[in-house]
Every structure is written in structure tokens, then in C-alpha cells.
């Protein structure tokens, strides 16, 4: 567990450094074109749309540890190759396009495999904490990576920064290789269920689970419209507030700082989160993103980025835990692949659309329109859930403001009562 976590934070800090360097490189090569940046983002995530379900099948069928090592080796080679092109002044825009697509293909296999691998590291009763640790690791990297990248880009340039990310991926591989297979909690290799794992069976399993369908619908909508900060914050920092790479790293780090707090709060959860916890966090995330889009100054945008990041990751983690803790182990890889698909696979559609909005109507509009559309769709899903479950919602002001949701049992008595804070204290 310690070796895997250390390897992940090393690799992910490098990934976020690479994303910042890649985005800044595209803006430099295209004279600040938001459309080109959206296209790079789309190319990076299109393989997720095409290959993630197959990646989940591989995760259920083969050794997850070996798959992760292979994917990280490929990532290291790609990063070192692009870094050399930039450092030797040979890079052109199509090189970045090809690199983004290749990284996307690697991620399409690595991401569902990594999500499913957590279940082999800990006992089932510790899985919620392990998932929260994974989320916290991701957000520590998201906090530290952009800040380091912003300083290093200004100091040594994008090429050397990307070379460093390749070295960090190699270090992650070395740590992962030290994990002993005998210490993992896994079924014997070559079992019948693994050999017969099919993508269609995973899809049928999810379709027969309305609780999973609802969560994935929310993830689909918010992934399409709201989770585009890699694109929108870069354009906002450079074209609206007219700042440099350091300031871009600062606002991204503010978002990640809030996200880290959200991950740590989510780590306190011991059981599968309720559907209402997922819905409420989605509503608050969409609301704060909408407000962020209207921020008149750079420093106010940084302040608003913190609660936006908090509820962004709290929603993402609640959705992830509701899916992971509600599936049969033999379907986990394929179900998590579908979860990753609806989360990241919408980016090839959403990123060019958001990039076009940013270029035509400004970076602010690309943020608040995404938040407002997400809020409207989430409220519709919440109403559908309340009507289907015949739940009642009451707002209580004492002893502190909170929502009280009650679902009746078959005899009309309260079968489920949930108390959720209406404000964050």
C-alpha cells in the first residue's frame, strides 16, 4: 500500500506538471488559441471514449500490477520523447497532437486498472478509506504539480519540465515493481471468471442497476460541462487576467487545495454514500463553478476556486465510492471502466465545445455556462430521484441549517432518513 501510494503521487505530480507544460506550449505555438487547446484536450481524451471499456476488460482478465507497470513505462517514453523535441526546438503543433492522443491511449488502460487495483491492496472493510487515500493522492499531486510546473516553466522552459515528468514516471515504475504479488488480495490467476470477462456483460450488469445508472448519468453530465478546468483556467489566466505561467499554476493550485480538503473530508466516510450525498455535492459544485465564472478579479477567482475544488472532488469521490462499493468484485474492472468512460470520455465532445465558447464569448462564459448547465441537469435528476422514491425533503434551521430527506417504507413508515448539511461549516 505504501509503495503504491508513493509511486502514484510521484507519477501524478509529474502528470500534472506535464499537463500544465503541454497547455502552455500549445498556447505559445498557436498565439493563445483556445480552439487549439480544446482540440489537444479532445485528442487526449478521445482514446478514453474508444478504449476504456476494453481497458476495463483487460483489468478484469489480466494482472493489474503488470498492466500498470507497462502503462507507466509507455508514458515515460512518450514524455521523454516530447521533451527532447521541445528542448531541441524541433517541436511543431502536430507533435503535441500526436503526443496527446498517445497519452490518452495509455490512460484509457491505466485509469480503470488503477481504480480496480485498490481493491487488491486492502481488505474490503478498508476499501472506502483506500479510495479516499487515492483521491487525496490525486489531489496532492494536483496541488503540487501545477505550482512546481508554473515556476519551472518560467525558469527552465517547457522542454526540461516535460523531461522531468518522464523521469518521475520511471521512478513510479521502480516503486511499483517492489510490490510483492504475494501480498495482494486477489483471486488465483487464470480463473474462469477472468478468462470469460466480456465488455457486454459489464454493460448489462450496470443497466440492471438503477442506482448505478443514476450516478453515472450525473457523472456524464458534469464530466461533459463542468470538468473542463484544464482548458478554462488556462484561457482565463492568460486572456482575461493577462497573467503568466506562475499565476496559472497558482489558480490551478487553489482549485486543487480545495479538492484536497474535499478528499480528506470524504476520507472520513466509512460506508457507501447515499444517492442524496452525491446529488447535493453535485448541486454545490455546479453552483460554485457558476459563481467562479463571474469573478471580476484574479484574486477573487482564486478564493472561489477553493470551494469549487472542494465540492468538485467531494462529488467525484462520492460518485466513485457509490459505484465501487456497490458492485460485485468480478465486475469491478468493467464497471469502473464504464465509470471512467462517462467521466472522461465526454471530454472529446465537451473540450472543443467549451474551447469554442471561450474563443467566441470569452473565458468567463465557458466557465459559468458549464456550471449553469450542470446545475440545471442535476436538479432535474434530483427531482426524478425524489419522485421515484416518494421522498420528502425538509429544511431545518436549528441547531444548524440542514436538509432532512425521508424515504417511506412499503408500509408508509420512514424506512430511510438522511441528514445533510445545507452549508459547510
Amino acid at each position: 500500500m505504501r509503495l503504491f501510494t508513493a509511486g502514484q503521487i510521484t507519477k501524478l505530480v509529474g502528470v500534472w506538471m506535464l499537463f500544465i507544460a503541454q497547455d502552455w506550449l500549445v498556447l505559445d505555438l498557436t498565439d493563445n488559441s483556445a480552439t487549439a487547446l480544446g482540440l489537444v484536450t479532445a485528442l487526449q481524451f478521445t482514446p478514453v471514449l474508444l478504449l476504456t471499456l476494453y481497458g476495463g476488460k483487460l483489468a478484469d482478465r489480466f494482472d493489474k500490477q503488470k498492466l500498470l507497470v507497462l502503462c507507466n513505462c509507455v508514458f515515460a517514453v512518450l514524455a521523454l520523447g516530447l521533451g527532447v523535441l521541445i528542448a531541441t526546438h524541433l517541436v511543431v503543433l502536430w507533435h503535441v497532437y500526436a503526443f496527446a492522443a498517445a497519452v490518452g491511449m495509455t490512460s484509457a488502460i491505466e485509469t480503470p486498472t488503477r481504480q480496480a487495483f485498490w481493491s487488491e491492496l486492502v481488505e474490503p472493510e478498508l476499501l472506502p478509506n483506500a479510495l479516499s487515500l487515492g483521491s487525496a493522492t490525486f489531489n496532492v499531486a494536483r496541488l503540487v504539480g501545477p505550482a512546481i510546473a508554473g515556476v519551472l516553466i518560467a525558469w527552465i522552459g517547457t522542454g526540461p519540465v516535460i523531461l522531468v515528468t518522464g523521469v518521475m514516471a520511471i521512478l513510479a515504475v521502480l516503486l511499483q515493481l517492489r510490490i510483492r504479488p504475494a501480498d495482494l488480495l486477489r483471486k488465483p490467476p487464470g480463473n474462469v471468471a477472468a478468462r470469460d470477462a466480456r465488455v457486454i456483460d459489464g454493460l448489462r450488469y450496470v443497466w440492471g442497476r438503477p442506482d448505478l445508472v443514476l450516478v453515472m448519468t450525473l457523472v456524464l453530465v458534469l464530466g461533459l460541462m463542468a470538468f473542463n478546468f484544464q482548458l478554462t483556467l488556462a484561457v482565463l489566466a492568460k486572456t482575461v487576467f493577462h497573467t503568466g505561467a506562475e499565476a496559472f499554476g497558482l489558480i490551478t493550485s487553489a482549485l486543487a487545495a480545495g479538492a484536497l480538503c474535499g478528499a480528506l473530508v470524504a476520507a472520513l466516510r466509512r460506508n457507501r454514500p447515499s444517492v442524496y450525498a452525491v446529488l447535493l455535492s453535485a448541486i454545490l459544485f455546479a453552483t460554485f463553478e457558476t459563481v467562479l465564472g463571474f469573478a471580476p478579479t484574479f484574486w477573487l477567482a482564486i478564493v472561489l476556486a477553493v470551494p469549487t475544488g472542494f465540492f468538485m472532488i467531494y462529488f467525484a469521490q462520492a460518485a466513485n465510492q457509490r459505484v465501487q462499493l456497490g458492485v460485485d468484485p468480478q465486475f469491478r474492472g468493467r464497471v469502473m471502466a464504464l465509470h471512467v468512460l462517462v467521466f472522461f470520455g465526454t471530454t472529446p465532445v465537451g473540450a472543443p465545445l467549451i474551447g469554442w465558447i471561450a474563443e467566441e464569448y470569452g473565458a468567463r462564459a465557458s466557465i459559468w455556462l458549464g456550471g449553469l448547465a450542470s446545475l440545471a441537469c442535476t436538479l432535474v435528476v434530483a427531482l426524478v430521484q425524489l419522485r421515484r422514491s416518494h421522498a420528502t425533503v425538509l429544511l431545518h434551521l436549528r441547531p444548524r441549517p440542514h436538509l432532512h430527506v425521508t424515504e417511506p417504507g412499503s408500509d408508509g413508515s420512514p424506512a430511510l432518513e438522511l441528514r445533510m448539511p445545507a452549508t459547510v461549516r
Side-chain angles (χ1 to χ4, degrees):
M1 181 73 170
R2 290 191 296 270
L3 290 171
F4 182 69
T5 302
Q8 282 302 295
I9 197 167
T10 302
K11 159 75 181 306
L12 290 171
V13 167
V15 167
W16 281 104
M17 291 172 59
L18 183 141
F19 285 164
I20 299 298
Q22 172 190 273
D23 292 350
W24 211 251
L25 175 65
V26 171
L27 292 175
D28 284 341
L29 291 175
T30 61
D31 194 23
N32 301 332
S33 172
T35 301
L37 188 56
L39 180 56
V40 168
T41 305
L43 287 170
Q44 192 166 305
F45 287 96
T46 295
V48 176
L49 182 64
L50 300 177
L51 300 175
T52 294
L53 292 179
Y54 183 73
K57 174 183 175 179
L58 294 178
D60 279 338
R61 180 172 288 191
F62 297 110
D63 189 307
K64 297 178 182 63
Q65 182 184 10
K66 292 179 180 178
L67 280 176
L68 289 173
V69 168
L70 176 62
C71 290
N72 287 329
C73 287
V74 172
F75 177 86
V77 171
L78 291 171
L80 293 173
L82 181 64
V84 169
L85 287 174
I86 299 171
T88 56
H89 305 288
L90 297 175
V91 68
V92 293
L93 188 58
W94 75 263
H95 292 151
V96 186
Y97 288 158
F99 170 80
V103 168
M105 284 186 272
T106 304
S107 298
I109 298 174
E110 191 267 348
T111 303
T113 305
R114 170 166 42 87
Q115 293 279 355
F117 187 58
W118 285 105
S119 64
E120 295 188 359
L121 293 169
V122 297
E123 300 288 345
E125 60 271 16
L126 296 178
L127 186 55
N129 303 92
L131 295 176
S132 295
L133 176 61
S135 180
T137 299
F138 179 86
N139 285 286
V140 167
R142 192 171 184 171
L143 174 64
V144 175
I148 295 175
V151 173
L152 290 182
I153 290 172
W155 183 29
I156 61 177
T158 56
V161 170
I162 293 178
L163 287 172
V164 169
T165 66
V167 174
M168 295 174 76
I170 293 173
L171 292 176
V173 168
L174 295 177
L175 288 169
Q176 290 171 352
L177 288 174
R178 292 187 59 195
I179 300 174
R180 296 179 298 181
D183 293 336
L184 298 175
L185 304 174
R186 53 169 55 159
K187 294 181 179 180
N191 63 80
V192 175
R195 290 198 306 268
D196 294 340
R198 300 186 305 169
V199 171
I200 189 64
D201 294 329
L203 295 176
R204 288 172 178 166
Y205 176 80
V206 172
W207 185 251
R209 293 283 304 275
D211 58 326
L212 301 182
V213 172
L214 184 145
V215 173
M216 290 192 182
T217 299
L218 282 177
V219 170
L220 174 68
V221 172
L222 272 70
L224 178 67
M225 301 302 300
F227 280 81
N228 291 289
F229 292 112
Q230 180 184 346
L231 163 63
T232 56
L233 292 185
V235 181
L236 184 71
K238 196 163 189 178
T239 65
V240 175
F241 298 122
H242 306 291
T243 57
E246 301 95 327
F248 175 34
L250 182 60
I251 193 170
T252 305
S253 295
L255 184 80
L260 176 60
C261 293
L264 294 175
V265 171
L268 301 175
R269 185 179 292 119
R270 294 292 183 267
N271 300 306
R272 189 186 186 209
S274 71
V275 65
Y276 300 107
V278 178
L279 286 166
L280 182 60
S281 58
I283 290 171
L284 291 171
F285 166 46
T287 299
F288 274 105
E289 180 173 3
T290 303
V291 176
L292 173 62
F294 290 104
T297 66
F298 176 71
W299 290 108
L300 183 56
I302 288 179
V303 171
L304 289 171
V306 175
T308 302
F310 180 94
F311 289 110
M312 174 186 71
I313 202 60
Y314 193 90
F315 160 73
Q317 188 64 10
N320 183 289
Q321 289 178 336
R322 184 156 178 84
V323 172
Q324 281 245 41
L325 300 177
V327 301
D328 295 330
Q330 63 267 32
F331 289 101
R332 182 169 282 118
R334 282 163 288 175
V335 173
M336 293 313 299
L338 182 59
H339 178 74
V340 170
L341 174 62
V342 298
F343 197 2
F344 296 110
T346 53
T347 304
V349 178
L353 174 62
I354 296 297
W356 177 81
I357 292 174
E359 199 156 291
E360 292 294 323
Y361 302 103
R364 296 184 192 278
S366 69
I367 296 175
W368 68 257
L369 277 174
L372 199 59
S374 299
L375 178 60
C377 292
T378 303
L379 290 174
V380 170
V381 173
L383 289 174
V384 170
Q385 169 63 24
L386 291 171
R387 287 177 61 88
R388 188 178 67 181
S389 60
H390 304 288
T392 58
V393 182
L394 296 175
L395 174 63
H396 294 270
L397 299 179
R398 296 180 180 180
R400 60 184 176 84
H402 66 278
L403 293 176
H404 188 191
V405 182
T406 303
E407 289 187 3
S410 58
D411 59 352
S413 61
L416 174 64
E417 292 191 355
L418 299 166
R419 294 179 180 269
M420 297 176 293
T423 59
V424 178
R425 300 180 67 186

